Amino acid sequence: ASTLGSAAAAQGRYFGTAVAAYKLSDSVYSGILNREFNSVTPENEMKWDATEPTQGTFSYTSADTIVNRAITNGQKIRGHALAWHSQQPSWAQSLSGTTLRNAMVNHVTQVATHYKGKIDSWDVVNEAFADGSTGARRDSNLQRTGDDWIEVAFRTARAADPAAKLCYNDYNTDGVNAKSTAVYNMVVDFKARGVPIDCVGFQSHFNSASPLPSDYQSNLQRFANLGVDVQITELDIEGSGTAQANSYSTAVKACLAVTRCNGITVWGIRDSDSWRASGTPLLFDANGNPKQAYTAALTALGGS
Ligand code: G3I
């Protein structure tokens, strides 16, 4: 296999990328997207502020563009994200209590219903745990509606789109630490109580301050052992040259070594597409040429 997507498919996995709707008219961008990737995640277009800018008025144009194009090209779609403390529309930011809870439930129902049958996996809840050593939930307006907001979001998503796999997604949970253990304990609890959860996403934004952890694979494995699929959902690795290529290779191999790690998504195509203001964290350079990191990822997937 000579592309990331086809090499991943030969391993029973997908290899995806975040996609920004406004870049699809760029032929270099869309050419790489069509050739290399068999899964897409809308980078911003499915978030609450994008899909419900005014309460009760839903706006799907940009997300639909990505979804319809992906379906035409036979690419899976990872929905991102139904309930999150960030990128909420201003009207939601000012709500609290039952009013906010009801608005969240309605949002999850409406968006998951609009895309019913089209989404492989939904990031139902994103980034709900605090950084650091407490293992606590992150404080947010959603969290202040009550600890059960996460399970309510999952049950609501299941009711709206029973075929979609429902994931919890977070960052700084890539290795074994207090935050990932808190997520782990939530999955244990959800499984014990029959709360629907199918997968856990590990964002995997790595840089020198937060490098690829040495226990990455064993952390993925401990979650898989709970009976959920795991995915690398927003991979990017700061750096360049051989060091960066080796890190990409290690990350890909960690996923392949875990039977239930069924997909990898990088958070953008070219370095110039990255959310990071500077740096070169992705697989293609600003001109769209594959980097050493690309060759390493492809080789790790068994392609050439
Ligand atoms: O849409 C407006 C546009 O109208 C305006 O002119 C422009 C001016 O700055 O801003 C545009 O919105 C920006 C948006 O990206 C679209 O480009 C926002 O300011 C900017 O904050 C937003 O950043 C996104 C970020 O999430 C917001 O939290 C990044 O693109 C996106 O890559 C990033 O993705 C997150 C994941 O969702 C969750 N995990 C972490 C990851 C990286 O931060």
Side-chain angles (χ1 to χ4, degrees):
S2 61
T3 66
L4 298 167
S6 60
Q11 304 275 1
R13 269 93 173 168
Y14 67 79
F15 203 101
T17 179
V19 169
Y22 76 92
K23 292 178 183 166
L24 290 168
S25 56
D26 173 342
S27 61
V28 174
Y29 183 87
S30 56
I32 300 170
L33 173 59
N34 288 358
R35 184 178 78 237
E36 295 288 342
F37 297 98
N38 56 2
S39 175
V40 302
T41 305
E43 187 172 357
N44 289 295
E45 292 78 355
M46 286 186 174
K47 292 172 180 175
W48 200 348
D49 61 352
T51 49
E52 196 180 2
T54 302
Q55 186 168 16
T57 301
F58 289 82
S59 158
Y60 295 116
T61 309
S62 295
D64 284 352
T65 300
I66 295 174
V67 167
N68 293 335
R69 192 178 179 290
I71 291 171
T72 300
N73 288 300
Q75 294 159 318
K76 290 185 195 296
I77 300 147
R78 189 177 179 91
H80 176 80
L82 291 171
W84 189 24
H85 68 276
S86 185
Q87 283 183 280
Q88 293 181 2
S90 53
W91 63 264
Q93 290 177 37
S94 66
L95 298 183
S96 62
T98 307
T99 317
L100 174 61
R101 176 66 68 90
N102 291 341
M104 179 201 79
V105 168
N106 184 57
H107 181 77
V108 171
T109 298
Q110 295 297 325
V111 177
T113 300
H114 179 80
Y115 290 110
K116 182 178 179 178
K118 297 180 175 174
I119 304 294
D120 179 71
S121 305
W122 263 114
D123 289 333
V124 178
V125 170
N126 195 40
E127 301 175 3
F129 283 82
D131 291 314
S133 59
T134 64
R137 296 284 185 83
R138 174 196 295 274
D139 180 56
S140 72
N141 61 345
L142 291 169
Q143 180 60 31
R144 289 190 291 273
T145 69
D147 236 25
D148 63 339
W149 75 275
I150 298 181
E151 65 194 77
V152 167
F154 274 85
R155 291 189 199 278
T156 304
R158 179 69 97 222
D161 186 357
K165 281 166 267 170
L166 306 182
C167 307
Y168 176 80
N169 190 55
D170 214 329
Y171 68 91
N172 283 352
T173 52
D174 312 301
V176 177
N177 57 40
K179 187 176 180 182
S180 64
T181 298
V183 176
Y184 179 92
N185 290 335
M186 180 185 74
V187 176
V188 170
D189 173 54
F190 280 14
K191 285 285 183 184
R193 292 190 297 112
V195 178
I197 184 167
D198 305 303
C199 33
V200 177
F202 299 83
Q203 292 185 11
S204 307
H205 295 291
F206 299 126
N207 57 23
S208 55
S210 176
L212 185 68
S214 57
D215 53 7
Y216 191 44
Q217 180 183 320
S218 57
N219 189 49
L220 298 175
Q221 186 66 59
R222 73 168 175 156
F223 279 85
N225 291 347
L226 297 177
V228 287
D229 289 339
V230 296
Q231 290 109 20
I232 297 172
T233 52
E234 305 182 11
L235 182 62
D236 51 26
I237 307 176
E238 260 304 350
S240 61
T242 303
Q244 180 183 50
N246 288 343
S247 293
Y248 267 101
S249 176
T250 302
V252 168
K253 286 176 179 167
C255 180
L256 293 180
V258 176
T259 306
R260 293 195 74 145
C261 183
N262 63 333
I264 299 171
T265 297
V266 288
W267 206 242
I269 296 178
R270 302 162 298 194
D271 287 332
S272 50
D273 298 315
S274 175
W275 66 288
R276 294 185 189 276
S278 62
T280 54
L282 294 172
L283 298 178
F284 295 85
D285 70 18
N287 296 318
N289 296 313
K291 296 163 54 180
Q292 195 176 339
Y294 168 88
T295 307
L298 180 63
T299 305
L301 289 165
S304 61

